[in-house]
């Protein structure tokens, strides 16, 4: 499920005839991409993760790339050999659509706390595997400010707010490793987004952005007792909305949820829902879940407009341990996302701004929940 592969359960024993027809595979030869025509523009689908790897390779080779706005297609020059090598099929075109949005070679910052973080390490590995250029940012790098002049997007992997802001306590480690980004770093990240940057928070790091930027978003499962809501490592089904950050994803995607966040937008919210948990039935696909009814129809990922930029809140484990290939594109597309791609925003119903520059909204107190029955799928 995490791979985004449709599977069929075999409920009857495999016959002897079928077993006899099976052949052992000793070696797998990569399938080359099929290219129709000779350019000058090559059009290929956004659907495969290898498409985004190809985009990075093409830009690194001084080719040009644009993303279709009305379709999940990518248009590129100097791409034929790269697409063949990465197993991506393409067709020739005389020109890119007028509405296509040109993209440039990325400048990505990846925050790395001195205490070390497993999810940050996996994120780094995945970016390397798909040839995303990135720079590791430590506390002082963030605190130094002027981030938008250096980066287009910044990623904070799954980690609690305390690890980001406070880090390790002075006296427990050598001085240069003590502390987190502090208030100075928070303001630098706020300025980065206000000036047009894209901040991407993964899993529970989303709470950092919600709290520190006063975003009009609430985590509706925060503070609930385990008998009210519990989901520690299960696969849940989401409905995926049309948006540049979800380009190439199917209409429904199975995501990995591990004690993570479920959102609800508040008055003053401007932005888009990227994915929400399915409605009218439990979203559980595999694992254990208590309180399914609390999250049905609720946002799993959001694009929050803030100043000239965007905060992408991905409340689940989109790249969990390098296994969830089926949801990588939430992260990959977000890295390229900027305000020029953003859908038009409806007028705010409050017009309010919280925290000085982030759009605000006061969350209502949580309802007193009824105790649900657990749902288990083996």
């Amino acid at each position: 499920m995490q791979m985004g592969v449709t599977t069929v359960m075999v409920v009857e024993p495999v016959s002897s005839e079928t077993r006899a027809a099976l052949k052992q595979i000793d070696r797998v030869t990569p399938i080359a991409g099929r290219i129709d025509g000779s350019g000058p523009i090559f059009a290929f689908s956004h659907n495969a993760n290898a498409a985004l790897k190809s985009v990075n390779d093409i830009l690194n080779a001084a080719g040009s790339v644009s993303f279709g706005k009305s379709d999940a297609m990518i248009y590129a020059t100097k791409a034929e050999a790269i697409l063949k090598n990465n197993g991506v099929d393409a067709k020739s075109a005389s020109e890119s659509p007028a509405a296509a949005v040109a993209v440039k070679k990325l400048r990505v910052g990846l925050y790395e706390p001195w205490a070390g973080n497993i999810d940050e390490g996996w994120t780094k590995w995945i970016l390397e595997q798909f040839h995303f250029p990135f720079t590791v940012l430590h506390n002082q790098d963030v605190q130094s400010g002027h981030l938008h002049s250096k980066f287009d997007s910044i990623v904070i992997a799954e980690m609690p707010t305390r690890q980001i802001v406070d880090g390790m306590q002075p006296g427990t480690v050598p001085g240069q490793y003590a502390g987190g980004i502090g208030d100075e770093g928070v303001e630098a990240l706020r300025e980065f987004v206000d000036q047009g940057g894209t901040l991407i928070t993964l899993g529970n790091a989303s709470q950092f952005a919600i709290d520190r930027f006063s975003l009009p978003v609430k985590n509706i499962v925060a503070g609930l007792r385990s008998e009210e809501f519990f989901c520690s490592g299960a696969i849940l089904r989401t409905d995926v909305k049309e948006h540049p950050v979800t380009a190439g994803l199917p209409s429904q995607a199975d995501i990995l949820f591990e004690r993570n966040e479920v959102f609800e937008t508040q008055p003053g919210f401007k932005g888009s829902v990227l994915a929400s948990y399915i409605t009218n039935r439990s979203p559980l696909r595999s694992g254990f879940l208590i309180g399914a009814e609390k999250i049905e129809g609720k946002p799993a990922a959001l694009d929050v407009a803030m100043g000239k930029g965007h905060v992408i809140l991905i409340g689940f484990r989109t790249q969990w341990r390098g296994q969830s290939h089926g949801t990588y594109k939430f992260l990959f597309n977000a890295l390229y996302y900027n305000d020029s791609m953003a859908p038009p925003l409806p007028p705010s119903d409050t017009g309010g701004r919280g925290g000085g520059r982030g759009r605000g909204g006061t969350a209502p107190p949580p309802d007193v929940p009824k105790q649900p029955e657990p749902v288990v799928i083996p």
Side-chain angles (χ1 to χ4, degrees), residues 201-256:
T201 57
L202 307 182
N204 293 321
S206 297
Q207 197 63 47
F208 159 78
I210 292 170
D211 292 341
R212 294 301 172 134
F213 296 163
S214 298
L215 300 179
V217 176
K218 175 186 176 183
N219 174 17
I220 63 168
V221 298
L224 295 182
R225 299 187 301 273
S226 59
E227 62 266 26
E228 298 168 338
F229 180 80
F230 182 82
C231 188
S232 179
I235 297 176
L236 308 180
R237 172 146 290 184
T238 62
D239 286 323
V240 179
K241 317 302 181 182
E242 289 190 12
H243 189 280
V245 173
T246 62
L249 283 162
S251 60
Q252 291 190 322
D254 294 328
I255 61 92
L256 193 287

Side-chain angles (χ1 to χ4, degrees), residues 19-144:
R19 290 181 181 276
L22 296 177
K23 295 181 179 179
Q24 180 175 326
I25 298 176
D26 298 314
R27 181 180 179 183
V28 176
T29 302
I31 301 174
R34 184 179 68 253
I35 310 298
D36 293 340
S38 57
I41 306 293
F42 296 92
F44 53 100
S45 171
H46 215 118
N47 292 357
N49 291 332
L52 277 300
K53 178 181 178 181
S54 298
V55 167
N56 295 327
D57 292 343
I58 293 164
L59 291 172
N60 194 52
S64 63
V65 176
S66 58
F67 291 169
K69 257 196 168 183
S70 58
D71 56 23
M73 297 297 291
I74 301 172
Y75 304 88
T77 64
K78 301 183 180 179
E80 184 174 1
I82 291 171
L83 294 171
K84 284 183 178 179
N85 185 62
N86 288 335
V88 177
D89 296 342
K91 292 184 177 180
S92 292
S94 57
E95 59 183 13
S96 301
V101 179
V103 296
K104 61 181 181 179
K105 187 175 180 179
L106 282 175
R107 302 177 302 166
V108 176
L110 176 62
Y111 175 64
E112 180 180 85
W114 284 121
N117 178 274
I118 293 174
D119 201 60
E120 184 273 335
W122 280 111
T123 305
K124 183 185 298 179
W125 181 80
I126 291 167
L127 295 180
E128 290 171 346
Q129 299 309 301
F130 287 86
H131 301 175
F132 282 90
F134 66 93
T135 300
V136 171
L137 299 177
H138 291 118
N139 298 327
Q140 189 173 359
D141 301 316
V142 177
Q143 293 166 342
S144 65

